Amino acid sequence: MSGAQWERTLTVTTADQTHALAAALGGVLEAGDLLVLTGELGAGKTTFTQGLGEGLGVRAGIISPTFVLVRIHPNLPDGPRPGGPDLVHVDAYRLESAAEIDDIDLENTMDTAVTVVEWGRDRVEHLSESRLEVELHRAVGGERSTEAQDVLDFDTDDDDEPRTIVFRGFGPRWAEAPSLLENAEQGGN
């Protein structure tokens, strides 16, 4: 668990469940929150982020920012959370270090937005004293992938295969797990 204050594990069986779980989480996120998403290709990181966006009430059309590195999705004044935070969606897959993260200048939006960084582990921890890590694992060959970063499975057509989602909270903002995760299998503290 390496420093996490708590850990919760959930299993979802469909992309819709992944989306719904993330939408519920989006409803409790605040400006300044940093989420670090980890998982192999096709694990559901973008589906999860789309759900977060729905829960945050930001403009629809969230797609992976793979080629642009960063996409900003503004909060909708007529959405479910008018005046709420924007969503900054980052893909750090091709970035090698924290210095390259600094070059894209996320500090300017950190206080006013929820920042979601795909492939951000070991690259973005310096941006905030608190973070929520979300690890998505998809079944590959009938077994849960434990080496998520090492498995490249390009057959992503089966969005409804089971996925295990592990949440870990770090820092004062995430001293306790959100109540929506309390029914999850508990690990750690």
Side-chain angles (χ1 to χ4, degrees):
M1 209 166 59
S2 64
Q5 295 182 212
W6 52 265
E7 179 178 296
R8 302 292 183 274
T9 301
L10 287 90
T11 299
V12 294
T13 57
T14 67
D16 286 344
Q17 287 178 348
T18 300
H19 184 99
L21 174 62
L25 180 61
V28 303
L29 294 177
E30 303 170 356
D33 285 344
L34 172 64
L35 280 75
V36 180
L37 269 57
T38 305
E40 68 267 16
L41 297 174
K45 294 180 301 292
T46 300
T47 298
F48 189 88
T49 305
Q50 290 167 342
L52 285 176
E54 180 182 308
L56 286 167
V58 302
R59 185 176 62 208
I62 293 174
I63 60 172
S64 179
T66 300
F67 298 105
V68 295
L69 300 181
V70 179
R71 292 188 190 275
I72 299 175
H73 302 277
N75 182 272
L76 297 171
D78 59 347
R81 289 183 64 185
D86 295 339
L87 173 65
V88 175
H89 187 195
V90 181
D91 186 323
Y93 182 75
R94 293 178 295 150
L95 302 178
E96 302 275 327
S97 67
E100 287 184 302
I101 290 289
D102 290 343
D103 288 343
I104 59 177
D105 208 20
L106 293 176
E107 293 84 8
N108 283 332
T109 57
M110 284 292 298
D111 292 340
T112 59
V114 169
T115 304
V116 174
V117 184
E118 295 185 22
W119 306 98
R121 183 177 286 156
D122 298 326
R123 294 178 180 96
V124 299
E125 290 80 0
H126 69 287
L127 294 174
S128 175
E129 66 178 338
S130 297
R131 71 185 179 280
L132 182 63
E133 290 187 357
V134 181
E135 212 173 278
L136 296 101
H137 300 276
R138 66 186 281 228
V140 178
E143 293 183 19
R144 181 176 161 227
S145 169
T146 55
E147 300 296 325
Q149 299 260 15
D150 297 333
V151 175
L152 297 181
D153 181 354
F154 293 98
D155 179 16
T156 59
D157 292 336
D158 187 3
D159 288 336
D160 284 341
E161 68 184 8
R163 279 152 171 88
T164 301
I165 306 176
V166 180
F167 295 87
R168 291 183 191 93
F170 295 84
R173 165 70 171 107
W174 300 107
E176 295 182 18
S179 60
L180 69 107
L181 299 179
E182 282 308 314
N183 294 330
E185 167 192 319
Q186 295 194 17
N189 297 338

